[in-house]
């Protein structure tokens, strides 16, 4: 678990020279994100890098993986034939614990149910030199913030909320497992040099407004795709009023606007957090290069000259926000929310209020919510809704137990869940409603896509700060505004809540988690990793076939997805998480949440061979059995959300060849390329309308596939008429090699000469 201080020293030693070189080449001052990117680039060309254009090879300092994605990442790593990870890496067991009764019982059940997967992850980690965090130790992003993130570092993680570490000044980027394999194998990792969005924070946070509201408001401004291809860099006086974990919250939810990552400049709050988490030596080192861990001073004076876009948020006037339902960018100011609930006929009664998750489970978050709980107890109030608390890590849980916050939250009716993802990812055995019941919940999580938390598409999920969620739990209603409204207590009196207050860090220090971590064997060569052939949870990977060297001719359209098609729609989580290590089994969830544009139904598509309607995985399997490759068409920001590469591997496994959409979310587009699929976009988004239900699609020009060169799509309709349109792609030379090899992994394996 201990930090590799030498690694940090090595990274820091490169800052002065490399940033100076970049400054000279560009002939201008540098932003913070640029400094960190240039330091981690394997090579700086004499032309420097062009944002939004040049692909750059990086050497990240670390890799982090969570159990639901690590299974596939590690199955791929095993096929790559590399004896040991080349950079410090960790695996975290957090996604597979189902919430039902409470922490202890739920954890015991998870340990039993997921035994095979946990043992697999533990033994692979042990063998290949990966640090292993057991179930119950905490959620990946909180554990990383507490142990591994450091200012100026660069990390990739197989989870879209990896940018949480930006709260500690790290460039931390969410990726698919195949990308993690590259880095763990000692290869460089490639990313298009991002654009930069500067967010100028003015004023000071206070009252009912908290860090969460910064990102909820920003999501409203930028929308779910506004950050695509960009790093969001925060700067200005306002940054200094936000705690380190609050900064983490803001960076975490940058995933919801599609940002590559988000980052804050190093400051005293970060130093304080490093000291409180036993890393005073890192604070010391960071202080030594503090100038390198901020944007150059000229940038802050004239930001619009240096960022591609600048947004100003005044923390003095920022109101608390509530976002939702069904999308995290539907932002409402608290003062306008009650009206919105009525006007839009959202279910007014609040059924469940949930605080915690990787986004908002810091000591400060819980202390502020517990402060409200104390007030409630004094004022004779109890939660009217069900109320759950998910601590982010055992360190936080044990500390808030010692300091009394848990007791207060439980006294108002709260149930403490395991230190794990739980309801945030649909690992929630909800017993108070039936599927199909229209109802509202509010969480301090980050995502609220339809059916995400409880598999019920009729659950209206809203997102807000833990303080607002707690206040609404006391009211049991969505229309309550704690700033202005009174509540009636158990004695029939009218009472009002005071503004929440809380400590950022525990006065008596954090308690330690002595049992959560296992370090790997120093020589793992003799360790055997067994995968039973009979397992329905784990399946060794077989390599995908190489490209046959031909264009795709007359492939049937499998599905034309309408509207939002997130990774949750493509490869649902919740009950399906148990198959994350078994490609064939998990493929039975492929596209079951996506809406068919021709009948507006989920999981009901026409089988062109039979003319009948069937579930998507069945039709795909039928085409596959007939040797027919198929194609999917989609809308804007296709693949938004998770980093799960299953959303790319399942289509590949069931015979998919290409995905043609109006636009892609970054991680998913890369995942498709890595798995040998063709992610393509309409040159003209209106061409989406040309696709009809019985179409046969040909993609012409693959033989000459080249960076920047369009390919042709020939659309044969049922009535024999035909359309021809051009499609764009973003493949560069090395990515074209992945396509030709059948997958990126096939290439690595051929280089390490093991064959997969
Ligand atoms: C999520 O928040 O959607 C998840 C579950 O953490 C995913 C990862 C996964 O699908 O396993 C993510 O954010 O990448
Ligand atoms: Fe887990 Fe939810 Fe965080 Fe994803 S967003 S890592 S599911 S707590």
């Amino acid at each position: 678990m201990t930090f590799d201080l030498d690694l940090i020293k090595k990274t820091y030693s490169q800052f002065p020279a490399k940033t100076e070189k970049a400054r000279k080449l560009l002939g201008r001052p540098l932003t913070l994100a640029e400094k960190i990117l240039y330091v981690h680039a394997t090579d700086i060309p004499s032309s420097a890098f062009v944002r939004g254009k040049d692909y750059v090879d990086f050497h990240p300092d670390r890799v982090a993986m969570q159990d639901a994605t690590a299974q596939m990442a590690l199955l791929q790593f095993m096929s790559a034939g590399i004896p040991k990870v080349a950079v410090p890496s960790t695996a975290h067991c957090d996604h597979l614990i189902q919430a039902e009764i409470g922490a202890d019982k739920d954890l015991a059940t998870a340990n039993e149910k997921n035994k095979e997967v946990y043992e697999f992850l533990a033994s692979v980690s042990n063998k290949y030199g990966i640090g292993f965090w057991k179930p119950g130790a905490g959620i990946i992003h909180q554990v990383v913030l507490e142990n591994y993130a450091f200012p100026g570092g660069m990390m990739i993680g197989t989870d879209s909320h990896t940018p949480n570490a930006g709260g500690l000044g790290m460039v931390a980027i969410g990726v698919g497992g195949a990308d993690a394999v590259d880095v763990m194998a000692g290869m460089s990792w490639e990313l298009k040099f991002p654009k930069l969005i500067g967010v100028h924070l003015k004023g000071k946070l206070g009252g009912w407004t908290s860090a969460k509201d910064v990102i909820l408001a920003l999501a409203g401004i930028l929308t779910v795709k506004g950050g695509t291809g960009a790093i969001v860099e925060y700067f200005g006086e306002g940054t200094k009023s936000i705690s380190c974990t609050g900064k983490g919250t803001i960076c975490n939810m940058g995933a919801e606007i599609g940002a590559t990552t988000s980052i804050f400049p190093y400051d005293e709050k970060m130093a304080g957090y490093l000291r409180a988490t036993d890393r005073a030596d890192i604070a010391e080192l960071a202080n030594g290069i503090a100038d390198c861990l901020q944007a150059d001073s000229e940038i802050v004076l004239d930001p619009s000259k240096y960022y591609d876009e600048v947004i100003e948020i005044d923390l003095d006037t920022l109101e608390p926000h509530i976002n939702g339902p069904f999308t995290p960018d539907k932002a409402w100011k608290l003062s306008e929310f009650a009206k919105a609930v009525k006007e839009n006929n959202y279910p007014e009664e609040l059924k469940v209020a949930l605080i915690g998750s990787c986004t908002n489970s810091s000591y400060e978050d819980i202390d502020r919510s517990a402060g409200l709980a104390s007030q409630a107890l004094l004022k004779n109030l109890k939660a009217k809704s069900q109320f759950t608390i998910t601590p982010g890590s055992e360190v936080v849980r044990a500390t808030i137990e010692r300091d009394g916050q848990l007791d207060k939250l439980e006294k108002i009716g709260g149930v403490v869940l395991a230190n794990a993802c739980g309801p945030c990812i649909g690992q929630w055995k909800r017993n108070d409603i039936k599927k199909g019941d229209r109802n509202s919940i509010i969480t301090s999580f980050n995502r609220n896509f339809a059916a995400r938390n409880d598999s019920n598409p009729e659950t209206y999920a809203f997102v807000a700060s833990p303080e607002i969620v707690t206040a609404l739990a006391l009211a049991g209603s969505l229309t309550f505004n704690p700033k202005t409204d009174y509540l009636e207590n158990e004695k029939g009196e009218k009472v009002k809540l005071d503004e929440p207050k809380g400590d950022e860090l525990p006065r008596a220090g954090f308690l330690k988690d002595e049992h959560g971590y296992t370090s790997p064997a120093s020589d793992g060569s003799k360790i055997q990793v067994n995968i039973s052939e009979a397992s329905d949870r784990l399946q060794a990977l077989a390599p995908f076939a190489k490209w046959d060297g031909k264009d795709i001719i007359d492939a049937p359209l499998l599905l034309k997805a309408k509207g939002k098609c997130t990774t949750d729609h493509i490869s649902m989580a919740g009950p399906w998480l148990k198959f994350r290590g078994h490609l064939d089994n998990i493929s039975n969830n492929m596209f079951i949440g996506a809406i068919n544009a021709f009948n507006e139904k989920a999981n009901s598509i026409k089988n062109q061979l039979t003319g009948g309607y069937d579930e998507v995985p069945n039709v795909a399997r039928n085409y596959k059995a007939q040797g027919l490759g198929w194609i999917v068409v989609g809308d804007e920001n296709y693949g938004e959300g998770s980093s799960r590469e299953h959303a790319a591997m399942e289509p590949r496994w069931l015979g998919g060849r290409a995905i043609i959409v109006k636009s892609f979310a970054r991680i998913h587009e890369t995942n498709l390329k890595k798995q040998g699929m063709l992610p393509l976009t309409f040159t003209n988004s209106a061409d989406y309308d040309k696709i009809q239900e019985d179409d046969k699609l040909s993609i012409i020009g693959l033989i000459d596939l080249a960076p920047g060169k369009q390919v042709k799509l020939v659309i044969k309709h049922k009535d024999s008429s035909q359309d021809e349109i051009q499609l764009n792609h973003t493949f560069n030379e090395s990515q074209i090699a992945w396509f030709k090899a059948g997958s990126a992994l096939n290439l690595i394996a051929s280089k390490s000469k093991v064959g997969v």
Side-chain angles (χ1 to χ4, degrees), residues 66 94-95 139-141 159 161 252 357-359 420-422 424-425 445-447 452:
Q66 46 88 342
D94 52 3
H95 279 63
I139 309 175
I140 177 168
H141 310 303
D159 191 279
H161 293 107
N252 177 307
S357 94
C358 66
T359 335
C421 301
C424 180
I425 191 51
F445 309 162
N446 38 30
R447 292 206 168 124
R452 175 174 168 98

